Amino acid sequence: MAEENKVRLHGAWSSPYNQRVKLALKLKGIAYEYVEEDLRNKSPLLLKYNPVYKKIPVLVHNGKPVCESLVILEYIDETWRDFGPKLLPQDPFKRAQVRFWVSFIQQQLFEAMFSVLKTDGEAQHKAIKEVNEKLNILEEGMKNFFQASTHPVDGQNLGLLDIVICSILGNYKAQEQVLGIKIIDLEKTPLIFSWLTTLVELPVVKETLPPHEKIVLFLKYVRQNALKASKA
């Protein structure tokens, strides 16, 4: 890649925030160098490029760092306008709707799902109830957003909302295996089920998300550590 248009991504394989940036770069057809960070021993470059949060992902374009996954996604869309699909709608109202639901998925749904992973007993039952409530809200919201019972999805028209839902729920089968509960239910949330199962079968998504067994082992590790910490 020409030095004047060099792209490098600092990330960690298990991070959903990292996965969404990788997916956006793939969709746009942008060649990039990937640097896997050890989050227990962060590299000097990561600390240099993100001195505020000291977190991944960080996209470095022509030596200039861009931090925070959603900021990075919008940067990618604006910088490479003529590459791949548009990640955000052109219409300001639709664009605002996408940003609203992205925020809901990231702040409400993801936090509730993480609570299920790190708890057990009564606390976990409460967290599961909250996840179901959030999924029902998202289901109704998507019916209005898509203005239809189904959402046409293929590898050529994925947008910001598709990318974020993939990063948060794309590994739902691994989550269900670790937790022993049903998360995405065809009967309860048919639109989300159809949308998500279509997305995860796309070649570009399969290439981006980590292997099922690798995620299962990672989630088990996170859960065991969280439960040990809560009982210490």
Side-chain angles (χ1 to χ4, degrees), residues 87-164:
L87 303 185
L88 279 164
Q90 293 298 310
D91 178 74
F93 178 69
K94 290 181 180 178
R95 195 158 59 243
Q97 285 184 304
V98 168
R99 287 177 173 141
F100 174 84
W101 285 111
V102 162
S103 177
F104 176 84
I105 293 167
Q106 178 156 302
Q107 296 180 16
Q108 300 290 321
L109 180 57
F110 182 59
E111 288 299 320
M113 290 185 64
F114 190 64
S115 293
V116 175
L117 182 66
K118 66 180 183 179
T119 56
D120 59 3
E122 186 60 33
Q124 189 184 53
H125 288 306
K126 183 178 178 181
I128 292 170
K129 182 180 179 182
E130 185 176 356
V131 167
N132 289 332
E133 290 173 353
K134 303 301 183 188
L135 284 170
N136 287 333
I137 291 171
L138 181 62
E139 176 82 3
E140 292 306 310
M142 291 302 94
K143 286 179 183 177
N144 294 327
F145 179 77
F146 296 140
Q147 296 181 346
S149 58
T150 58
H151 175 44
V153 171
D154 60 47
Q156 305 302 315
N157 72 343
L158 300 191
L160 184 64
L161 197 53
D162 300 293
I163 290 172
V164 170

Side-chain angles (χ1 to χ4, degrees), residues 20 31 46 60 66 68 74 80 88 109 189 195:
R20 65 180 57 162
L46 176 60
V60 185
V66 184
E68 294 295 290
E74 294 209 25
W80 290 278
L88 279 164
L109 180 57
T189 52
W195 180 27

